[in-house]
Each structure stands twice: as C-alpha cells, then as structure tokens.
Amino acid sequence: MLKVLYAGSPDASAVTLKILLEKAGSCGYEIAGVLTNPPSAKGRHKTLIPTPVAQLAEQNGISVFSPEHLDSAAREEVQKIGADILVVFAYGHIFGPKFMSLFKFGGVNLHPSALPKYRGCTPVNAALLNGDEKTAFTVQTISQKMDEGNILCQKEIALSGKETSVSLLNNAAENGAELLASLLKEISENGAVPEGIVQSGEASYTGIITKEDAKLDWAKSASEIDCAVRAYYEDPSAWTVEKGLPLKIIEGKKLSDEEGVALGASLEAAPGTVAIFAKSTGILVRCGHGFYAVTKLQRQGKNAMDYKSFMNGARDFVGTVLSL
C-alpha cells in the first residue's frame, strides 16, 4: 500500500483531501499523515484554530504535523510515518532537498493553472483578472525551482466569465483530486512515478496579492472591473472609497453603455459616479466604458448587504463619486 503524506492548509485543500480519502481504498494508497500550517489566532479572543486540513485529518484519525519550519525536528517527526510520496495542494512553503529525501517517490504538486503559465502563488486570481477564456489544473513533480517540475497530468477547462477566485479554486480542488487519485493508483500499481513532460512555452509568474492591488480603478472598462471583482472575491475583496472610507464591492455584473442607458443611466457621468439605482439590476457605477451593476457590497464595520438592502439605508448614495 502506497503511503502518502498530504500537505495543504486552506478550505480548498481540505476538499481535495476529502476526495483523496474517499478514493484511497480503491486506488491502492493510504493517507498516512498530513502536513499543514500551525493553528492561527482568530476572533476577538484570539482562539487558536487548526487549519481546515488539520481539522479534517483529526476527524479521520490521521496524524497531523504543523511545524513553524521544515527543520531537522520536523523532518524527524515526518520520517516516523514512513510515507512513500508527498502530495501537495496549497501548502504555501518551499520544500528543501533534505525534506524531499524522506520520500521514496519524491513529491507531486497540484497547481491550478496551465503550466508554465501562471507559476507562483495566485494563478487562479491571475486567470480571472486577465479575463482568460480557459485555464487548466496541472499535477507536476516537485522541483527545487518554483513550479518548474515535469507535467504528469493536466486537465483544461473553459471559463464562463462568471467564476470567482473561490469557485474556481474549489473547482481545481475537486478536479485536481481526481487527477491525483488516478496518478497515485498508477504509482501504486507500477511502483514508479511517470517521467512526465518537461514544461515548454513562455512562463509567467504570479505573486502575493495585496489590499492595494484590489482597489478598483473606475476609469477601466466594466469588463475589467468585473474581472477584478471576481478575481479578488472574499480575499482581499475588491474595494473602492466612498467619502473617504473603504467600501467593498463583492458581487455584480458588467453592462454595456447601451444597457446602462436603457436602465436610465447617463453616459455623461464621470467614471466612479454612482449613476442610478435600478431595482431590477443593481447599483450602476459608471466605468471608463460601460457600467458595473453592483449587487452586493459592504461598508466598513458593517455586514455585507445585497444592493436593495444597502439602498434602504443609503438614500443619498446615487450621485456619489467613488474614488479611483
């Protein structure tokens, strides 16, 4: 039986782990342990909360390793379970050669992009921000250079233009788990990791997203605003400035100039102007081209609201110019 150490931390990674656990028996492997981030302090009382991956592992009686650093002490603890292979999705740390030497078959990583496009830590956000019409989920060997390992399997998917960073990452988690389970079955049966395909083509890289990155520029087109809102969904959330205070723009949809005019909006309004409240559609904000109909938003210190509830307490919102 192939013994797996699974490494990951956030909700999406727990989705993948759940599916891998369900398929373990039929695919000839077992999850011998999980490697995840340490518990983080949350809430008013700063209670230490284990990662979603740790919580799922504990529910299933699986050993959990959550070191601050992958040092000699961490390696010694991990070595005790005798894992044959490391499987990674959204762990967020670099694995050095000493750590990788613990595994007979090395390691494989699920990366939610069409490698070599969008190497790095935010590939899902990049695909949405750039308005890509398709992306892929890739399983690659772990190499010492970021996301440069051989491609073992890859699944391409079309993008509808309605995905958010959360929904697309969850899609990657589910589809990626299927790819990983099939690969682990193959390794278990053949006693070797496939050689894979060396990456080819022009590489691009993604980095950490900051709050400032998610600030909306209303001089851009409605299509670009729509891409940004979906790309920054929930974390950190797209935002703008209303009378000196931050205002999160959580959901909405793009409209053409013609669609905005048909609802009663004026093309003369400057970008960032709250043009009209259309009860059937949303709060229309003028963009450099077109309008963005906001349907869910959140003021600082308040709960997120749908646009109709928001307007009940914001009678003077129409005509406000949101900061660029």
Side-chain angles (χ1 to χ4, degrees):
M1 180 74 73
L2 185 71
K3 298 181 74 172
V4 174
L5 176 67
Y6 181 82
S9 295
D11 287 325
S13 188
V15 170
T16 298
L17 176 58
K18 183 176 185 296
I19 295 172
L20 289 178
L21 287 169
E22 292 170 351
K23 292 181 172 291
S26 61
C27 291
Y29 63 85
E30 66 169 311
I31 307 297
V34 302
L35 178 65
T36 189
N37 288 333
S40 56
K42 295 183 179 179
R44 182 178 300 175
H45 302 292
K46 301 299 180 182
T47 304
L48 290 177
I49 306 296
T51 67
V53 164
Q55 293 178 47
L56 180 58
E58 289 168 354
Q59 292 166 12
N60 286 273
I62 299 170
S63 298
V64 175
F65 304 95
S66 52
E68 289 282 355
H69 305 285
L70 297 179
D71 53 18
S72 59
R75 294 196 298 271
E76 186 176 336
E77 288 300 308
V78 167
Q79 190 172 28
K80 292 177 181 178
I81 66 170
D84 300 303
I85 189 169
L86 174 67
V87 174
V88 183
F89 178 43
Y91 177 53
H93 298 273
I94 300 296
F95 300 101
K98 290 182 179 179
F99 188 82
M100 293 307 303
S101 69
L102 299 176
F103 309 100
K104 175 182 177 181
F105 296 119
V108 298
N109 174 58
L110 170 61
H111 187 78
S113 85
L115 288 173
K117 191 175 185 179
Y118 302 143
R119 290 171 176 166
C121 59
T122 53
V124 162
N125 311 78
L128 297 180
L129 190 63
N130 292 332
D132 291 353
E133 295 182 353
K134 60 183 179 180
T135 188
F137 311 132
T138 305
V139 177
Q140 59 171 333
T141 57
I142 293 176
S143 70
Q144 289 305 298
K145 293 184 178 180
M146 183 183 292
D147 298 324
E148 292 189 21
N150 288 0
I151 294 174
L152 301 174
C153 45
Q154 190 174 78
K155 180 176 181 178
E156 185 177 282
I157 67 162
L159 296 176
S160 67
K162 295 182 179 180
E163 296 86 358
T164 68
S165 55
V166 172
S167 69
L168 185 53
L169 191 60
N170 283 332
N171 190 340
E174 294 174 5
N175 281 280
E178 300 290 337
L179 295 179
L180 286 168
S182 296
L183 176 64
L184 291 172
K185 182 178 181 180
E186 181 181 350
I187 295 170
S188 178
E189 292 173 347
N190 298 336
V193 178
E195 184 175 343
I197 301 171
V198 176
Q199 294 184 36
S200 61
E202 184 177 356
S204 58
Y205 294 84
T206 65
I208 295 172
I209 293 170
T210 67
K211 182 180 178 181
E212 195 60 28
D213 292 329
K215 186 178 182 181
L216 296 174
D217 179 356
W218 296 105
K220 293 184 176 181
S221 69
S223 293
E224 291 172 296
I225 295 295
D226 181 61
C227 287
V229 171
R230 292 184 293 109
Y232 300 128
Y233 186 78
E234 286 193 0
D235 186 18
S237 287
W239 63 286
T240 187
V241 177
E242 176 205 3
K243 297 178 181 177
L245 295 175
L247 176 69
K248 288 185 177 181
I249 307 297
I250 301 173
E251 293 176 2
K253 57 184 176 181
K254 59 186 177 181
L255 300 177
S256 66
D257 283 345
E258 293 75 17
E259 288 172 317
V261 170
L263 290 168
S266 170
L267 296 179
E268 302 304 316
T273 302
V274 179
I276 191 172
F277 167 41
K279 290 184 179 181
S280 63
T281 309
I283 302 167
L284 272 62
V285 181
R286 181 63 171 144
C287 304
H289 181 73
F291 295 85
Y292 187 71
V294 180
T295 57
K296 188 175 183 180
L297 62 172
Q298 182 178 11
R299 278 176 168 158
Q300 186 174 32
K302 304 291 184 179
N303 293 327
M305 295 182 176
D306 67 81
Y307 68 101
K308 292 180 181 178
S309 299
F310 179 88
M311 290 302 294
N312 285 335
R315 301 289 184 180
D316 61 346
F317 192 54
V318 173
T320 299
V321 178
L322 303 176
S323 176
L324 298 179

